[in-house]
């Protein structure tokens, strides 16, 4: 089972940078081994930002959390 | 081989750093000479750019510039690639083919990745460079070649000589005029001017306005380690220009490697453990710069961008702090946080004529 803290600790690494631009990546829910996140701020509506964050953050989560399954951007 | 006209010296960004300025001054001096130049630098630091610049600043500029990566060919192929072959030299050799040396006749031959040339081939290369003649594979005739040879290497050839992987005689033949290109992380002060240059260029190519760049992105760029050097920065800018949908580059545009790499308290790869095991090279300069950059960022952050207060926290003079901020490339990043600060921006030397 993946814990909220584990996911937050990974998100926390990029959060200050995103917040500096008035955005954020919010952890909405942890379901089993998957995390649901929401982008807020200026980049929230940008499909490119969704794509890059989606791929990059998921990869980072998989690298650092052994059982991590999937990242869902809601 | 580079298409003629693809390179323009006007598209070369020099930047602020003393090291790069020194390199460009040196290039101006040695471009007039015909002696061998060896350019050493990590992948993506701009070895071919410098080779091109040398050629285009020399009296050979109206003659061909031939660039070839020695890493591309197998041991057997490299000989025919460089020296050419005669018809019938081997199966499939249906006609005579000149090698790269001959193709560069009168001009400049840039042999990149010289550190990947196998020892057996190094002897032949030495002979060709020393005697200024080549023999095509399968041929008996010596062909005179008048080329200036520039070599590129990502490894320290002197070390390779010591390890027995590179011929000493060839090393001395090549190493007449050495140029060492620093990795981008050792000249972070050049990141802003390079970033602006690339955004402008790619936006022009795409036919859009040059995007604005947020201070957080500039900060991330200044903190990231750029293992792929200028090439990686160039590609990052290209990708962003192609994907940006709102006209302003923000952190959402950044790739995860930059975002995570810049967000780490101390850039991860530099925290190589200093153990008693296998010794690995570390750059003291690089490490110190990172520590400096981290402390200054911290001080500026906790003092809300007030430089006098930040300088107090760091027990240094206000003027010293200003210099160090510029040196670490933090200037742009903290503009937003310190709008009233009097950070004087030097006019960047964008290109050399």
């Amino acid at each position: 089972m993946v814990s909220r803290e584990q996911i937050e600790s990974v998100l926390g690494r990029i959060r200050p940078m995103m917040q500096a631009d008035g955005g954020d990546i919010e952890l909405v829910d942890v379901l089993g081994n998957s995390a649901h996140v929401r982008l807020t701020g200026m980049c929230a509506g940008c499909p490119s930002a969704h794509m890059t964050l989606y791929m990059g953050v998921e990869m980072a989560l998989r690298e650092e959390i052994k059982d991590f399954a999937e990242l869902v951007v809601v | 081989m580079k298409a003629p006209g693809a390179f323009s010296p006007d598209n070369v960004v020099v930047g602020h750093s003393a090291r790069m300025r020194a390199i460009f001054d040196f290039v101006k001096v040695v471009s007039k000479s015909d002696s061998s130049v060896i350019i050493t630098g990590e992948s993506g630091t701009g070895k071919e750019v410098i080779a091109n610049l040398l050629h285009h600043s020399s009296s050979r500029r109206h003659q061909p510039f031939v660039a070839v990566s020695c890493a591309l060919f197998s041991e057997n192929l490299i000989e025919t690639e460089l020296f050419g072959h005669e018809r019938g030299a081997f199966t499939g050799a249906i006609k005579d083919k000149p090698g790269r040396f001959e193709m560069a006749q009168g001009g400049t031959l840039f042999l990149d990745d010289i550190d990947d040339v196998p020892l057996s081939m190094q002897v032949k290369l030495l002979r060709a460079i020393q005697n200024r003649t080549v023999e095509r594979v399968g041929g008996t005739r010596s062909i005179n070649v008048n080329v200036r040879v520039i070599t590129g290497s990502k490894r320290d050839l002197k070390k390779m000589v010591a390890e027995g992987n590179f011929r000493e005689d060839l090393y001395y033949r090549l190493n007449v005029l050495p140029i060492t290109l620093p990795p981008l992380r050792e000249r972070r002060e050049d990141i802003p001017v390079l970033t602006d240059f690339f955004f402008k260029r790619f936006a022009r190519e795409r036919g859009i306005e040059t995007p604005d760049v947020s201070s957080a992105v500039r900060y991330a760029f200044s903190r990231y380690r750029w293992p792929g050097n200028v090439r990686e920065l160039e590609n990052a800018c290209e990708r962003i220009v192609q994907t940006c949908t709102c006209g302003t580059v923000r952190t959402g545009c950044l790739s995860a490697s930059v975002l995570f790499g810049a967000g780490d308290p101390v850039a991860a790869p530099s925290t190589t453990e200093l153990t008693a095991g296998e010794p690995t090279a570390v750059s003291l300069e690089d490490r110190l710069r990172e520590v400096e950059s981290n402390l200054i960022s911290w001080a500026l952050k906790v003092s809300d961008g007030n430089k006098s207060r930040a300088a107090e926290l760091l027990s240094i003079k206000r003027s010293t702090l200003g210099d160090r901020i510029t040196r670490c490339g933090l200037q742009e990043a903290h503009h937003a946080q310190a709008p009233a600060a009097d950070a004087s921006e030097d006019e960047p030397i964008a290109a050399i004529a």
Side-chain angles (χ1 to χ4, degrees):
Chain A
M1 220 5 217
V2 171
S3 75
R4 217 182 153 85
E5 287 70 39
Q6 281 175 302
I7 294 166
E8 284 288 8
S9 83
V10 174
L11 298 184
R13 287 170 53 199
I14 58 167
R15 188 162 279 148
M17 210 67 79
M18 299 197 63
Q19 286 171 344
D21 249 351
D24 206 345
I25 181 161
E26 227 178 87
L27 180 56
V28 183
D29 212 352
V30 181
L31 293 172
N33 288 338
S34 297
H36 288 208
V37 297
R38 181 185 297 131
L39 292 181
T40 59
M42 291 302 289
C43 295
C46 172
S48 306
H50 269 255
M51 195 62 191
T52 50
L53 285 172
Y54 182 71
M55 291 192 307
V57 174
E58 185 173 70
M59 201 163 28
L61 286 165
R62 281 188 178 153
E63 258 169 39
E64 298 197 14
I65 306 170
K66 203 174 124 266
D67 298 322
F68 187 80
E70 197 189 4
L71 182 79
V72 183
V73 182
V74 294
Chain B
M1 200 171 79
K2 272 260 141 80
F7 176 88
S8 159
D10 297 329
N11 278 337
V12 176
V13 180
V14 179
H16 291 301
S17 67
R19 280 175 80 176
M20 287 314 283
R21 289 194 194 196
I23 286 168
F24 280 90
D25 288 342
F26 186 67
V27 164
K28 272 187 218 157
V29 175
V30 303
S31 60
K32 309 287 173 260
S33 128
D34 262 348
S35 304
S36 302
V37 176
I38 177 148
I39 309 167
T40 310
E42 286 179 16
S43 176
T45 46
K47 296 187 285 291
E48 190 164 338
V49 174
I50 296 292
N52 244 310
L53 190 64
L54 275 165
H55 173 72
H56 283 88
S57 325
S58 75
S59 56
R60 294 171 176 266
R61 64 182 168 276
H62 300 301
Q63 304 298 325
F65 173 80
V66 175
V68 53
S69 163
C70 300
L72 285 177
F73 307 104
S74 69
E75 194 167 341
N76 296 327
L77 262 180
I78 194 166
E79 189 176 355
T80 62
E81 230 4 90
L82 295 181
F83 302 143
H85 60 73
E86 297 280 340
R87 187 176 149 224
F90 47 83
T91 315
I94 49 166
K95 55 180 179 183
D96 294 351
K97 183 177 174 278
R100 306 282 177 147
F101 269 91
E102 283 178 70
M103 285 156 82
Q105 190 67 269
T108 306
L109 176 63
F110 176 52
L111 297 171
D112 203 0
D113 303 306
I114 192 81
D115 44 331
D116 287 321
V117 174
L119 275 166
S120 59
M121 185 61 206
Q122 289 175 18
V123 196
K124 294 172 185 165
L125 205 51
L126 175 67
R127 268 183 60 91
I129 295 171
Q130 195 140 310
N131 303 338
R132 295 182 170 271
T133 58
V134 292
E135 265 173 40
R136 290 182 181 176
V137 174
T140 48
R141 178 168 65 96
S142 284
I143 303 162
N144 288 326
V145 281
N146 166 23
V147 295
R148 180 189 204 180
V149 176
I150 302 176
T151 45
S153 172
K154 57 196 170 304
R155 278 173 283 190
D156 181 3
L157 286 187
K158 203 171 177 184
K159 226 162 118 188
M160 286 182 70
V161 169
E163 290 160 358
N165 294 321
F166 202 86
R167 289 184 63 100
E168 198 175 9
D169 43 12
L170 179 58
Y171 169 70
Y172 286 119
R173 171 57 59 179
L174 299 177
N175 191 41
V176 182
L177 303 168
I179 296 176
T180 305
L181 295 177
L184 187 55
R185 62 181 175 279
E186 284 179 17
R187 53 179 189 113
R188 290 185 191 273
E189 59 269 49
D190 290 342
I191 292 174
V193 56
L194 287 164
T195 304
D196 290 338
F197 175 81
F198 289 134
F199 276 137
K200 205 167 153 187
R201 193 180 84 197
F202 290 121
R204 194 176 53 225
E205 281 172 19
R206 198 187 157 193
I208 58 168
E209 289 278 301
T210 307
D212 292 327
V213 183
S214 83
S215 55
V217 167
R218 289 195 183 276
Y219 177 71
F221 274 14
S222 73
R223 289 286 310 274
Y224 180 57
R225 203 179 147 78
W226 301 108
N229 295 299
V230 182
R231 184 187 289 129
E232 185 183 5
L233 176 63
E234 182 180 12
N235 291 350
C237 293
E238 180 175 8
R239 194 187 58 79
I240 289 169
V241 169
Q242 293 301 328
T243 55
C244 183
T245 55
C246 69
T248 300
V249 181
R250 294 190 176 85
T251 45
C253 301
L254 298 180
S255 70
S257 50
V258 175
L259 206 50
F260 278 99
D264 287 345
V266 177
S270 69
T271 53
T272 330
E273 315 81 61
L274 300 172
T275 56
E278 187 72 9
T280 47
V282 291
S283 163
L284 179 65
E285 200 55 33
D286 189 10
R287 292 282 198 98
L288 292 177
R289 183 70 58 90
E290 269 175 30
V291 171
E292 186 178 21
S293 167
N294 285 337
L295 285 172
I296 293 174
S297 304
W298 163 81
L300 285 168
K301 202 172 164 192
V302 296
S303 55
D304 290 324
N306 181 325
K307 289 187 187 172
S308 303
R309 173 86 191 105
E312 255 174 56
L313 283 170
L314 296 167
S315 311
I316 53 173
K317 279 192 212 153
R318 164 70 183 75
S319 54
T320 312
L321 178 67
D323 293 343
R324 293 189 180 225
I325 288 173
T326 314
R327 205 169 79 187
C328 294
L330 292 170
Q331 199 165 18
E332 298 288 340
H334 284 282
H335 265 186
Q337 289 163 32
D342 56 345
S344 60
E345 262 181 307
D346 298 331
E347 263 306 300
I349 299 177
I352 63 162

